[in-house]
Amino acid sequence: MSTFRFLHCSDLHLGKRFGRFPEETRIALQQARQQIVAGLAAVAQAHAAEHVLIAGDMFDTETPSERVLRQALAAMRAASDLHWWIIPGNHDSAAAETLWASLAEHAPPNVHLLMWSEVVQMAPGVQLLPAPCRHRFAGQDLTQWMDAAETPTGDLRIGLAHGGVLDFGSDEAGGETIAPDRARSARLDYLALGDWHGTFTLDARSRYSGTPEADRFKHAGRGQALLVELSSVGQDPKVEAIETGALHWQDLSLDLTPAADAGALLRAQLPSDRPGWHQHLLQIRAQGWITAPQRLALQQVIAEVGPEFCFFHLDETGLRSEHQVEDLDLIATNGALRVAAEDLLQAAEDTALAQVERDVASAALNRLFAYGQEMTASAACSAEAET
């Protein structure tokens, strides 16, 4: 038999809403997700892979809109030279009868919906062993049947399943059900797994492809799919990870001290390709201690660069403020503002108070400092205009 090549992907989560993000970011994320199927088709065609395996969770819910469903099938129909092999995952389980009935009604001939645990011939000499999720929470190892499944001698055996393995984990609570040695016990030449949203190698013949369009900071970078090449029965596959995602996710740390140039350190974390920032979702977790002027410097950098990103967030929950008496002079040297600043400073440094109360006082002092700087800058601009 000649070399058999296919594209392994999973967890497309078409129709995902991304409700925790701002509206503009949600729109960008949803638009990128709508292009996944066409993107996978282009990758498969570019690498002469005639088959695409989707290891579950093609849809984000059991009730995707008709628009999401039909557009996905339309993109598969357009790539008529490819065969698409799809199993239900836990998000779009086979229990969603209306969903899968609609898919079956509108699916073109090159789309194969694998609803039962039974051997299916993908191509001459190649047998597919699917383990579709019948329900959202399986409660059992759905790949167990593969061990006893009979296939013609000399044919390649490819497993297709969705869920976590017993010693690795899952992106869904309660999903750790698949035996980690299933590829060996079932004599599989390759086990294509879905559920984990990052690419992960369990062993030479068992891999998670991850999602083709990243959807969370937990799995950084761009989404990927796996190009798999099988040359003969019993020989380890050749696997290549290929970037397929349009958007790049990063979760970075920023360690600060009162002596640091906070603005410069923040800038140093930014991607070097500024024209491509609109495709980046960047979350920076700041930690340590900084002064009020440093915090203002951070805010100024964020105001300058943040709008150029698809999403930009500075997480300051791990960041404490070090307040200095001389900072109060930058707020006011006398009057009510000065009195308020001194009261807040005293509360922020009062160890007799609960930490939450001290944090509230510190945050208020930071805001007062920023307000004072804005007033000073505004007054300077007005004076300049008058001259």
Side-chain angles (χ1 to χ4, degrees):
M1 190 194 83
S2 59
T3 297
F4 185 73
R5 186 178 297 151
F6 61 91
L7 195 66
H8 165 202
C9 60
S10 70
D11 298 278
L12 280 63
H13 287 274
L14 302 176
K16 190 176 179 71
R17 296 184 181 277
F18 297 99
R20 72 184 185 90
F21 288 95
E23 181 180 3
E24 289 182 328
T25 301
R26 287 202 306 271
I27 292 172
L29 291 168
Q30 291 166 356
Q31 288 177 340
R33 198 147 296 271
Q34 289 174 356
Q35 303 302 315
I36 286 177
V37 175
L40 290 171
V43 169
Q45 291 164 337
H47 292 85
E50 297 180 1
H51 300 265
V52 180
L53 274 60
I54 300 180
D57 284 357
M58 185 166 85
F59 299 101
D60 190 55
T61 70
E62 296 180 339
T63 56
S65 69
E66 191 70 10
R67 175 176 177 270
V68 168
L69 185 152
R70 296 289 291 276
Q71 287 188 3
L73 292 177
M76 293 177 182
R77 180 183 294 107
S80 58
D81 56 332
L82 301 178
H83 286 276
W84 302 80
W85 304 87
I86 305 166
I87 61 170
N90 61 314
H91 276 254
D92 53 7
S93 75
E97 296 179 0
T98 301
L99 165 61
W100 292 97
S102 181
L103 283 169
E105 177 185 356
H106 299 291
N110 63 327
V111 172
H112 310 276
L113 307 179
L114 307 168
M115 307 303 294
W116 304 102
S117 297
E118 57 188 15
V119 177
V120 178
Q121 180 173 293
M122 292 180 66
V126 183
Q127 305 296 330
L128 182 62
L129 288 68
C133 292
R134 300 298 306 170
H135 305 281
R136 183 172 178 85
F137 300 105
Q140 60 181 319
D141 186 350
L142 298 176
T143 67
Q144 189 172 1
W145 77 277
M146 298 178 184
D147 288 3
E150 296 293 334
T151 56
T153 302
D155 280 11
L156 292 170
R157 291 165 63 93
I158 300 173
L160 184 62
H162 187 90
V165 294
L166 294 175
D167 63 351
F168 172 55
S170 167
D171 269 341
E172 291 291 329
E176 300 82 3
T177 58
I178 299 173
D181 62 345
R182 182 61 64 206
R184 179 194 59 76
S185 65
R187 308 176 308 286
L188 300 176
D189 295 286
Y190 186 81
L191 176 57
L193 293 167
D195 180 56
W196 189 250
H197 285 205
T199 301
F200 183 83
T201 300
L202 183 60
D203 58 44
R205 301 186 187 186
S206 309
R207 301 183 188 238
Y208 286 90
S209 63
T211 175
E213 186 65 59
D215 57 6
R216 62 191 70 178
F217 289 106
K218 179 179 179 180
H219 303 293
R222 298 183 190 274
Q224 296 184 329
L226 299 179
L227 180 66
V228 183
E229 186 175 294
L230 299 174
S231 56
S232 62
V233 173
Q235 185 170 334
D236 287 347
K238 178 182 177 182
V239 182
E240 178 185 356
I242 299 176
E243 280 194 350
T244 53
L247 301 176
H248 188 283
W249 297 63
Q250 274 188 294
D251 187 351
L252 304 174
S253 295
L254 180 65
D255 296 317
L256 297 171
T257 66
D261 185 337
L265 289 176
L266 178 58
R267 289 182 185 278
Q269 295 278 33
L270 304 179
S272 58
D273 179 26
R274 187 162 186 167
W277 284 359
H278 67 285
Q279 293 183 314
H280 283 256
L281 293 94
L282 186 60
Q283 177 171 268
I284 298 179
R285 300 180 186 274
Q287 54 192 15
W289 293 83
I290 59 171
T291 64
Q294 286 176 308
R295 193 179 291 270
L296 182 60
L298 287 177
Q299 294 169 352
Q300 290 171 339
V301 173
I302 293 170
E304 176 191 343
V305 304
E308 296 184 41
F309 285 82
C310 179
F311 177 76
F312 187 100
H313 174 62
L314 180 68
D315 183 349
E316 300 181 80
T317 55
L319 196 59
R320 301 287 184 184
S321 293
E322 179 179 284
H323 299 290
Q324 301 171 353
V325 175
E326 52 266 30
D327 292 341
L328 303 188
D329 292 335
L330 299 176
I331 298 174
T333 56
N334 53 47
L337 276 181
R338 177 67 181 210
V339 172
E342 289 176 349
D343 288 344
L344 289 171
L345 176 59
Q346 181 179 358
E349 296 178 346
D350 188 352
T351 56
L353 295 176
Q355 186 60 57
V356 64
E357 294 179 271
R358 297 174 62 189
D359 289 343
V360 169
S362 179
L365 187 55
N366 287 327
R367 182 168 297 183
L368 191 59
F369 179 86
Y371 172 74
Q373 294 303 292
E374 290 174 5
M375 293 295 292
T376 300
S378 177
C381 288
S382 297
E384 184 177 346
E386 291 175 1
T387 59

